[in-house]
Amino acid sequence: MALRLVTHFDVLEDVLPSLLTQAPTGDEGDGAGVLETTYGSLRVLNIERNGNIIYTYKDSKGNAVFGLYDCQTRQNEHLYTFEKDMQAVSCSVNSERTVLAASFVRYTTEGVKNELQPGSKCLTLLVEIHPVNNVKVLKAVDSCIWVQFLYPQAESHLLPQNHLLLISEEKYIERFHIQITREDGDRVVIRNPSHLPRDRIAEDFVWAQWDMSEQRLYYIERKESRSILKCIQFRGDESFNLMFEMPLDISLSGLRFKLVNFGFDYCQDREKLRSQSSLCIFTNHTGSLCVCYSPKSDSWEEITYSVFYLHKGYRKTFTAAPGSADSQVTNGITFLNLGYFVAVYSPGHFLHLLNIQHPDLICHSLFLTGNNKMAAVLPLSPLQSLSGSLVLDCYSGKVYRATLDQSYLLQFLWNARLDCERMAALHCILSCSQEPGFPEEQIIQWISEHVSACHSFDLIQEFLIASSYWSVYAELEDVDMLLQYSSVLTWNAEIPGIKLMTEELPLPLMKVYGLKGYWAKLNSNLEYIKYTKPYLHYHYSVVRREWHNLISEERTGKRRSTMYVRNILENAVKVISNMETRTLEPRLIPLLQEEDRHQRLLMGLIVSELRDHLLRHLQGVEKKKIEQMVLDYISKLLDLIWCLLETSWRKHSVHPLVPHLNSHCSAADFEVFHLMTRILDAASSLCLPLPPGFHSLHTILGVHCLPLYSLLHYIDNGVLLLTETAVMKLMKDLDNSEKNEKLKFSIIVRLPPLIGQKVCRLWDHPMSSNIISRNHVARLLKDYKKEPRNSMIDKSSFPVEFLPLNYFIEILMGLESSNQALHGFEGHDNVDAQFVEEAALKHTTVLLGL
């Protein structure tokens, strides 16, 4: 299953044993009776902001008992016993654990003396529990009441007074202000309990959700047949603000009143729960704000659900079919918050992992059906998604921590047959890159073995871009709008089993300014959507023209500012140094061992451009932090390329790759060569940098693996680059057999002039002497002007009497003397007129077959 539920709390294992050890001994309080009574009534009521879990059960006398499980100490604490046989609906305790609020409901016709007014069914109490003392009746009404204490920002910051939310089934929310004083040492009492100040927070709402972690209240009002979503943020200084409001185009027909995360009504039957509309809101620290909605449906042959990406300004409506044609959905839809993803789950039928960080393309979200063996893995009972990726199984009393299952996703990646599945699974698993046990080596192995598997997108490009993005995302979350997340810009192919419709939405109307934390990030996302066209994602292609200009200037001898080029090359040195620092184990593939000036120029340019891009848009971030992040980002990209090659080579050998040009090509050589060709193609189209030494190794392997006609075709089409390092090795390692001479000459004639001259001086062969002589003559005759000269030649100074050659050599000697007098001796490796004469005679001898 793509989801993994790790048990965070189990009421039967973490609470029940403790209760049994505390049970009174003797008569009716002993043994099996206590176990049966407690086990049958034990259930979770609430989870507070600090993670403490409040539970309730009936003791042997039928009294309602409240307890607290401390998740830090893993200890249980008795809070309060209500000596009446009533059903607890809701309970909350303040952060100091000195005051408890609870509500009860009576399902029998028997009256409860004193506390309940005639006809009322719900009793709400405020109790002093340090120690247990006074009990204050807050409400005794005929409608259900839920309670929730507000918590300070930090446990150490105690408020001068406590604040309690009271949510009524009559569609209003009140906040009570509770002053607490200490008497007789540590005895806590409520000051003036008969006159507690209160204010009305909201009214006339039909739906509300509580975010325990962030202390936010979301609710929907119905105004003139429209649904208006609002959010209130409660702050540590006891104030609260209406943060935003916006209309939601959803149908709430049949939904009279519903609360989310205010506890669970255990008396609802599952059929009623399934038939209702499902609505919940998820956020995370990146500034995302999603409304997940599944309308009430009479027919479950097709399932429709919508996600309002309010931080992106659009709504996506999905229509999915159950896993098999004859299957029917019996448990409704569950939405789970997984941080960067939202899981839409229909037990036994499908699981849809929706990418909420980058939801633009459907291919970045993974859709799994029952055919993917994911049926009946998650519990069939109702699941309640809480903050921090926590999930409450409402019937079993278990709290899970939900995460993506990396091992399942990796296995799914190996077995996937569709491009959309590979793309989505890859992004799901890469989003876990900062978690322990991240299987990067296995992902790289899969990439190296499937480089040609995808036809809708370039797998290597996608892996390099997405992995580099996630490698620095944890350092600075604001980069999500500034760095490229995917190499794919559009996706038009359908996803089997699901239909999609996208609609634009009005953006939430923010009501508060001077925002901080999550709200500042959300507002930044909204401003980005509102005003930024085109979007600000950095693309490597912006440096392509400048890089080509620098290379062209070097070839033609034109140079711009020396300081400018030096700074670019220094950036490249920093990247390579950063890579070497991160590379702990020795590598088998020989890279980073040569200058490779062109790649260093590209690397340095990208560092410079990307750094300026981030500095321009991240005004409040230290320059040093951005510079280091850029180095880490480029280093990661280059290291991934290196790791791809390493993984491919290690499948065949544990020894370093040292290509011997005189040996036969092995399967390992050819596999690495093929992978390097695909990497080069992926990098070139996006203008990504390559590790220095990549082109030389690629060319050497090409000479080793390809027949001559294919090799020359690769060279002429720019796939293989003739670097000085590669050609020098070729000239040294290959002998002068007829086959190798043909290869060497074919390569020499394709070299740039400067490299060609160096290589010719290294190759001791008549052909190289001929080329050297031609270059020397061309250089001397470049500015030659014919002048009258003596036609008589001293024949004794020439070894062979051949007048045309003798006359030509004398002209060259004269030009050499003139140049030496004017410019001094430049010393072209002792190439002079005599060398030219000898080369010409040897060449003529070969041509005449002498």
Side-chain angles (χ1 to χ4, degrees), residues 666-694:
S666 67
D669 293 333
F670 189 81
E671 187 170 324
V672 172
F673 172 73
H674 174 67
L675 179 58
M676 293 186 81
T677 304
R678 293 304 301 261
I679 291 173
L680 177 64
D681 180 58
S684 299
S685 61
L686 288 182
C687 203
L688 300 178
L690 294 166
F694 181 96

Side-chain angles (χ1 to χ4, degrees), residues 699 703 708 711-712 715 722 727 730-731 734 741-752 759:
T699 299
V703 172
L708 181 59
L711 175 69
L712 299 180
I715 293 172
L722 296 175
V727 177
L730 184 149
M731 293 297 170
L734 294 180
E741 280 189 355
K742 186 177 182 182
L743 168 63
K744 289 180 179 181
F745 180 71
S746 299
I747 287 178
I748 284 177
V749 297
R750 287 169 168 80
L751 291 174
V759 171

Side-chain angles (χ1 to χ4, degrees), residues 456-744:
S456 304
F457 64 98
D458 189 305
L459 185 56
I460 293 176
Q461 286 183 355
E462 194 66 16
F463 173 65
L464 294 178
I465 294 295
S467 288
S468 302
Y469 169 89
W470 284 109
S471 71
V472 299
Y473 183 76
E475 298 177 34
L476 195 62
E477 291 163 353
D478 290 328
V479 301
D480 62 333
M481 295 183 291
L482 303 175
L483 290 182
Q484 200 172 346
Y485 171 78
S486 171
S487 64
V488 176
L489 302 179
T490 59
W491 185 274
N492 298 319
E494 292 186 358
I495 307 297
I498 194 165
K499 299 175 184 177
L500 169 67
M501 182 175 67
T502 304
E503 307 167 69
E504 287 193 4
L505 292 175
L507 296 178
L509 178 61
M510 300 302 293
K511 297 286 190 177
V512 178
Y513 300 95
L515 302 166
K516 295 181 180 179
Y518 166 81
W519 295 110
K521 182 60 179 169
L522 172 61
N523 192 58
S524 174
N525 289 339
L526 299 178
E527 295 290 313
Y528 179 76
I529 297 299
K530 219 183 291 185
Y531 300 116
T532 309
K533 302 287 183 180
Y535 294 150
L536 300 176
H537 287 138
Y538 176 80
H539 292 279
Y540 291 92
S541 55
V542 299
V543 303
R544 190 189 301 272
R545 180 182 297 178
E546 178 67 4
W547 181 47
H548 288 168
N549 288 341
L550 284 173
I551 293 175
S552 176
E553 289 169 6
E554 292 212 337
R555 286 174 178 166
T556 57
K558 297 178 181 178
R559 293 287 181 92
R560 64 178 73 187
S561 167
T562 307
M563 183 64 70
Y564 173 73
V565 177
R566 184 189 303 160
N567 289 338
I568 289 174
L569 294 175
E570 285 179 357
N571 290 337
V573 170
K574 292 177 183 178
V575 171
I576 293 172
S577 175
N578 198 47
M579 275 188 70
E580 291 172 341
T581 303
R582 296 157 61 114
T583 306
L584 302 178
E585 298 180 359
R587 299 287 176 91
L588 302 182
I589 301 290
L591 296 178
L592 304 185
Q593 297 179 5
E594 66 174 88
E595 181 69 21
D596 201 344
R597 189 176 176 88
H598 288 178
Q599 283 304 312
R600 287 177 180 254
L601 285 172
L602 176 58
M603 206 184 303
L605 269 175
I606 291 175
V607 170
S608 179
E609 291 286 338
L610 181 55
R611 180 184 58 217
D612 293 345
H613 175 72
L614 296 181
L615 286 171
R616 190 160 49 245
H617 298 290
L618 298 175
Q619 300 291 337
V621 183
E622 291 182 11
K623 181 178 179 181
K624 188 175 181 180
K625 183 176 181 179
I626 289 179
E627 288 178 346
Q628 184 58 47
M629 194 202 70
V630 171
L631 293 179
D632 291 342
Y633 181 73
I634 305 300
S635 298
K636 180 64 176 180
L637 189 146
L638 295 172
D639 187 62
L640 289 171
I641 294 173
W642 202 351
C643 288
L644 280 170
L645 300 179
E646 282 279 314
T647 302
S648 180
W649 177 257
R650 286 181 188 271
K651 282 197 313 180
H652 303 277
S653 176
V654 295
H655 303 292
L657 190 160
V658 182
H660 299 285
L661 294 173
N662 288 310
S663 62
H664 293 291
C665 173
S666 67
D669 293 333
F670 189 81
E671 187 170 324
V672 172
F673 172 73
H674 174 67
L675 179 58
M676 293 186 81
T677 304
R678 293 304 301 261
I679 291 173
L680 177 64
D681 180 58
S684 299
S685 61
L686 288 182
C687 203
L688 300 178
L690 294 166
F694 181 96
H695 285 296
S696 295
L697 179 60
H698 189 211
T699 299
I700 292 169
L701 286 174
V703 172
H704 195 40
C705 298
L706 298 176
L708 181 59
Y709 64 89
S710 297
L711 175 69
L712 299 180
H713 180 71
Y714 274 53
I715 293 172
D716 292 339
N717 285 277
V719 178
L720 294 176
L721 296 186
L722 296 175
T723 65
E724 185 176 335
T725 301
V727 177
M728 290 294 189
K729 181 174 178 60
L730 184 149
M731 293 297 170
K732 289 179 181 178
D733 290 0
L734 294 180
D735 58 24
N736 285 333
S737 65
E738 182 178 351
K739 176 183 176 182
N740 288 341
E741 280 189 355
K742 186 177 182 182
L743 168 63
K744 289 180 179 181

Side-chain angles (χ1 to χ4, degrees), residues 181-360:
T181 61
R182 293 185 180 272
E183 297 179 355
D184 302 329
D186 289 336
R187 183 166 171 265
V188 174
V189 297
I190 300 173
R191 182 188 299 173
N192 197 13
S194 59
H195 296 87
L196 295 178
R198 72 180 79 174
D199 41 36
R200 186 65 62 97
I201 300 294
E203 53 190 355
D204 296 329
F205 67 93
V206 294
W207 173 93
Q209 176 178 315
W210 175 245
D211 185 334
M212 65 173 184
S213 177
E214 302 300 332
Q215 302 285 279
R216 297 183 193 128
L217 174 68
Y218 302 94
Y219 62 97
I220 293 178
E221 292 181 353
R222 295 288 291 172
K223 288 185 178 180
E224 300 175 357
S225 74
R226 290 202 313 162
S227 300
I228 308 296
L229 173 64
K230 297 184 178 183
C231 176
I232 289 177
Q233 173 73 68
F234 295 95
R235 304 191 181 278
D237 60 358
E238 307 180 28
S239 65
F240 68 90
N241 298 102
L242 175 64
M243 301 306 298
F244 72 82
E245 63 178 45
M246 73 164 297
L248 282 184
D249 182 17
I250 57 176
S251 172
L252 295 177
S253 59
L255 182 64
R256 191 184 71 82
F257 180 82
K258 186 173 182 180
L259 299 179
V260 179
N261 293 351
F262 282 102
F264 183 73
D265 188 351
Y266 290 80
C267 298
Q268 287 189 87
D269 59 33
R270 300 193 187 192
E271 184 61 29
K272 180 180 178 182
L273 193 69
R274 183 184 72 84
S275 63
Q276 287 187 350
S277 302
S278 179
L279 179 68
C280 53
I281 293 178
F282 296 140
T283 64
N284 72 6
H285 56 276
T286 63
S288 65
L289 176 60
C290 295
V291 178
C292 302
Y293 169 65
S294 177
K296 176 182 175 182
S297 177
D298 298 324
S299 170
W300 290 96
E301 294 180 358
E302 279 191 336
I303 305 169
T304 300
Y305 51 95
S306 297
V307 178
F308 295 74
Y309 298 95
L310 302 186
H311 59 293
K312 294 290 185 179
Y314 51 74
R315 163 189 183 173
K316 289 182 180 290
T317 300
F318 304 91
T319 303
S324 57
D326 58 348
S327 62
Q328 292 240 334
V329 178
T330 58
N331 289 283
I333 292 291
T334 299
F335 297 105
L336 300 177
N337 186 7
L338 303 177
Y340 299 127
F341 287 82
V342 164
V344 185
Y345 176 56
S346 176
H349 295 282
F350 71 82
L351 172 71
H352 198 178
L353 294 176
L354 292 168
N355 189 327
I356 62 171
Q357 193 68 14
H358 299 277
D360 297 357

Side-chain angles (χ1 to χ4, degrees), residues 446-454 458-460 644 674-675 678:
W446 178 79
I447 297 286
S448 66
E449 295 184 18
H450 291 79
V451 289
S452 303
C454 297
D458 189 305
L459 185 56
I460 293 176
L644 280 170
H674 174 67
L675 179 58
R678 293 304 301 261

Side-chain angles (χ1 to χ4, degrees), residues 33-86:
V34 174
L35 174 61
E36 183 179 354
T37 303
T38 305
Y39 177 82
S41 60
L42 182 60
R43 55 193 177 88
V44 173
L45 269 186
N46 195 9
I47 301 178
E48 300 289 7
R49 181 181 192 177
N50 52 19
N52 293 339
I53 297 171
I54 299 177
Y55 54 86
T56 185
Y57 62 94
K58 292 290 183 70
D59 63 12
S60 58
K61 299 178 181 179
N63 299 324
V65 183
F66 296 98
L68 180 142
Y69 177 78
D70 191 319
C71 288
Q72 299 297 322
T73 65
R74 307 191 72 83
Q75 299 294 318
N76 288 279
E77 177 183 335
H78 173 264
L79 294 178
Y80 180 63
T81 299
F82 183 60
E83 297 179 351
K84 299 293 179 183
D85 185 11
M86 296 187 68

